[in-house]
Amino acid sequence: MAFPSDLEIARGAALKPIEDIASEMGLPNHLLEPYGRDVMKVNLDAIEELAEAPKAKYVVVSAITPTPLGEGKTTTTVGLGQGFKHIGKRATVAIRQPSMGPTFGIKGGAAGGGYSQVVPMELLNLHLTGDMHAVTAAHNLLAAIIDNHLFQGNERGLDPHNITWRRVLDVNDRALRNIVVGLGGRGDGVPRQTGFDITAASEVMAALALTTSLEDLRARLGRIVVGYGKDGSPVTASELNAAGSMAVLLREAIKPNLLQTLENTPVLVHAGPFGNIATGNSSVVADRIGVHAGDFLITEAGFGADMGAERFFNIKCRNSALSPDAAVVVATVRALKAHSGKYRIVAGKPLPPELLQENPDDVAAGAANLRKQVENIRLHGVSPVVAVNAFPDDFASEHDAIRQIAAELGARVAVCTNFAEGGRGAAELAEAVAEAVEEPTNFRFLYPDEASLREKIETVATKVYGAGNVQYSPQAAQQLDTYERAGFGRLPVCIAKTHLSISSDPKLKGAPTGWTLPVREVRASVGAGFVYPICGDMRTMPGLGTSPAAFRIDLDEHGEVVGLS
């Protein structure tokens, strides 16, 4: 019999009343705001009201460098949360809200998979409580105010050729990457070139994810730099009188959303920052609530440990004042084989047939990536646990090869079958994590606040990525000098590079060393609170493929969603 689809599994879930889920977390009714039957908004007063409750063990889930297909990190995160119940522990899961760009593109939804999902699955992947649209509206309101400022005389002296604030939309649409606005008659605005990014790439989204309160969010929005004057001075949203209205649009979006897994584990879903140019982590406020709501808080960091986890440690933890007790590194047989350099995996196309054949030697050949990502976790003083996300076409010998690699690294390891078996299939992982969090931790940031921006970039590049050196374009060098003079030098760095390699070259697999990290441009997300050097060609507005998921998503004769995965 064929394995049921994610949507079929989700629709068969026995959901508990969401009020009961909240009660198990210690959240009283006065902190909850219902959104339909199965979702609650959680008031930020919960942070203060739960502050005296026992603190949960804090666990971040990361991964080796993924293939374009992803390695089931969210599925593992959800499965681990479910797995704790099977060993007599209470856990809360915290994940990002899915973007509808990937949902209707190639990747599909981001609710987990199989019997380790967050439900209601359709609601989570399609709008949820409208937070993504609130970010879109707040971002585009600022864009409209900028163009109106130009039209009304440009009192602040914005240089139309040096405006960095674009527009956003939560849809994959390559035709909007570069556009010209203000065409038409004189009353239609000042013509200039700009473009669209996907909403998850908005600095507003990054600010929402890193904020600690509504007051703090209002201040962050005011600090957003939208461009530069003809004298080179930064122009902020506050100077254009935009921050207050933007904050109003985000007044509800700042509240995390409470859902549950198929096995009734509580899940806080909040924010959805882009993993290439922002933190790729769920929100600080969700974690500050969840860390007092059970025995364990499981939070997910986007892409590999060189990206999402590094930013979790050095950016998110700086803002949250929370420190992790352990980290999970998700690995798959297919990704490790890919890191041998023998196989090419392309999103939307069948896997190479040879990749599916039993070959533990190829797993061992790609092990350099796993070794480096485990090292990246330990660089921050955190105990790693390797989670092998098992696929049905894996072989036991290949899992044994990963166990051997983990043993050589001195890391705990567990094979996870939670996709097919739910929490029971992640019980071994839960046991391993429960042991790891009892080890003494020496959590540390990779660099101090007072280090220069160049020192921060070079520290991440050499210690985390394995680069031999960093090369700055003349433009990047000038921008770094400008940011230091403007007082942005104490901000952490969020290096924008490919997620398909530890290096900046997506073609380089494994764990290359001695290469040069090219920094071609540097931008300042002053409102969000980081500086991001751009190393490579980052697509902030994805396009649709030849057969996107949108072609398969529809309504049946009963008005039910079909084709969502």
Side-chain angles (χ1 to χ4, degrees):
M1 186 172 66
F3 194 84
S5 70
D6 287 352
L7 189 53
E8 289 169 335
I9 293 170
R11 286 196 176 139
L15 299 185
K16 280 188 177 181
I18 196 67
E19 296 86 352
D20 293 353
I21 301 294
S23 178
E24 292 170 9
M25 298 172 66
L27 291 171
N29 285 338
H30 71 272
L31 294 175
L32 306 173
E33 301 173 9
Y35 269 71
R37 292 178 301 174
D38 301 312
V39 178
M40 290 278 193
K41 279 281 189 184
V42 182
N43 193 288
L44 262 57
D45 290 343
I47 296 174
E48 185 175 346
E49 292 198 26
L50 295 182
E52 299 304 317
K55 188 180 175 187
K57 295 294 185 181
Y58 191 30
V59 180
V60 60
V61 179
S62 186
I64 65 172
T65 300
T67 68
L69 305 178
E71 307 316 311
K73 186 151 45 63
T74 303
T75 303
T76 304
T77 301
V78 174
L80 176 58
Q82 295 176 152
F84 276 113
K85 186 179 291 186
H86 290 260
I87 66 168
K89 305 290 185 181
R90 294 167 51 236
T92 299
V93 173
I95 61 173
R96 290 177 289 169
Q97 179 178 341
S99 163
M100 286 194 295
T103 296
F104 287 95
I106 290 178
K107 186 177 178 182
Y115 288 93
S116 291
Q117 292 188 61
V118 181
V119 285
M121 184 258 216
E122 304 106 299
L123 188 59
L124 174 59
N125 286 305
L126 304 172
H127 307 291
L128 194 52
T129 57
D131 295 349
M132 199 73 72
H133 304 311
V135 170
T136 301
H139 183 113
N140 290 341
L141 174 61
L142 177 55
I145 287 173
I146 291 167
D147 281 302
N148 186 58
H149 186 83
L150 296 178
F151 179 75
Q152 300 294 348
N154 195 9
E155 180 181 354
R156 178 57 183 81
L158 254 175
D159 180 355
H161 301 291
N162 202 3
I163 294 172
T164 55
W165 197 254
R166 291 154 57 92
R167 286 167 168 80
V168 297
L169 188 70
D170 193 33
V171 172
N172 288 3
D173 192 346
R174 63 172 55 82
L176 293 177
R177 289 172 183 164
N178 296 284
I179 64 169
V180 176
V181 296
L183 297 178
R186 185 175 179 182
D188 295 320
V190 178
R192 66 182 185 90
Q193 184 173 342
T194 181
F196 274 79
D197 299 321
I198 197 163
T199 297
S202 167
E203 185 179 346
V204 175
M205 180 65 83
L208 181 68
L210 291 170
T211 194
T212 56
S213 66
L214 187 59
E215 181 182 18
D216 178 54
L217 179 61
R218 169 64 175 78
R220 288 173 184 270
L221 295 172
R223 293 195 294 266
I224 288 173
V225 174
V226 303
Y228 296 85
K230 294 182 180 178
D231 60 355
S233 61
V235 178
T236 66
S238 182
E239 290 179 88
L240 300 182
N241 298 313
S245 295
M246 294 170 70
V248 168
L249 289 174
L250 297 169
R251 192 165 60 114
E252 296 302 313
I254 195 174
K255 302 169 185 175
N257 307 290
L258 177 62
L259 289 82
Q260 61 187 293
T261 72
L262 291 168
E263 297 181 10
N264 313 122
T265 300
V267 183
L268 292 167
V269 181
H270 199 216
F274 205 60
N276 286 99
I277 65 166
T279 59
N281 283 258
S282 59
S283 76
V284 165
V285 293
D287 284 7
R288 291 181 68 187
I289 293 169
V291 81
H292 292 288
D295 301 318
F296 289 84
L297 172 62
I298 317 300
T299 192
E300 179 187 358
F303 297 135
D306 58 308
M307 297 196 62
E310 184 274 314
R311 296 161 183 180
F312 168 83
F313 295 135
N314 293 299
I315 300 178
K316 185 177 179 182
C317 289
R318 268 187 165 90
N319 283 267
S320 69
L322 298 173
S323 57
D325 297 290
V328 174
V329 180
V330 178
T332 61
V333 166
R334 73 181 182 192
L336 286 172
K337 285 182 175 179
H339 282 293
S340 72
K342 297 180 181 179
Y343 306 97
R344 184 166 178 262
I345 299 175
V346 179
K349 294 187 177 181
L351 292 170
E354 314 83 57
L355 187 78
L356 304 179
Q357 296 174 3
E358 183 174 10
N359 196 331
D361 289 343
D362 278 358
V363 173
N369 190 271
L370 175 58
R371 292 189 179 94
K372 184 65 179 91
Q373 299 293 26
V374 167
E375 177 189 314
N376 287 338
I377 298 297
R378 285 186 168 138
L379 278 173
H380 298 87
V382 179
S383 296
V385 178
V386 176
V388 183
N389 182 25
F391 284 65
D393 46 12
D394 294 348
F395 293 89
S397 63
E398 297 170 332
H399 292 163
D400 289 343
I402 301 176
R403 287 187 185 275
Q404 178 62 35
I405 296 160
E408 292 169 2
L409 296 171
R412 292 177 174 84
V413 61
V415 174
C416 305
T417 56
N418 50 282
F419 181 90
E421 299 181 310
R424 181 166 57 90
E428 180 188 353
L429 177 60
E431 293 278 12
V433 171
E435 291 177 5
V437 299
E438 297 303 323
E439 292 184 349
T441 57
N442 183 28
F443 174 65
R444 54 189 174 270
F445 300 128
L446 206 56
Y447 48 77
D449 291 341
E450 57 269 19
S452 71
L453 293 174
R454 283 179 174 82
E455 288 172 332
K456 292 169 183 174
I457 294 167
E458 288 155 19
T459 297
V460 175
T462 57
K463 291 190 175 182
V464 177
Y465 303 159
N469 56 76
V470 178
Q471 185 176 71
Y472 303 95
S473 71
Q475 179 188 19
Q478 182 180 34
Q479 289 165 329
L480 285 167
D481 292 340
T482 298
Y483 298 152
E484 293 279 5
R485 288 194 299 269
F488 304 157
R490 291 183 63 85
L491 295 176
V493 295
C494 182
I495 299 177
K497 71 172 188 70
T498 180
H499 62 284
L500 297 174
S501 172
I502 288 183
S503 76
S504 59
D505 182 350
K507 299 184 184 69
L508 295 181
K509 302 304 178 185
T513 58
W515 50 277
T516 298
L517 179 72
V519 180
R520 64 175 175 83
E521 183 183 353
V522 185
R523 298 179 186 175
S525 289
V526 183
F530 54 78
V531 170
Y532 66 101
I534 299 176
C535 308
D537 184 19
M538 296 295 105
R539 287 293 188 193
T540 52
M541 171 54 85
L544 294 173
T546 55
S547 182
F551 289 0
R552 302 184 294 275
I553 297 172
D554 204 339
L555 298 174
D556 66 14
E557 64 272 20
H558 306 293
E560 298 287 344
V561 176
V562 294
L564 187 63
S565 62

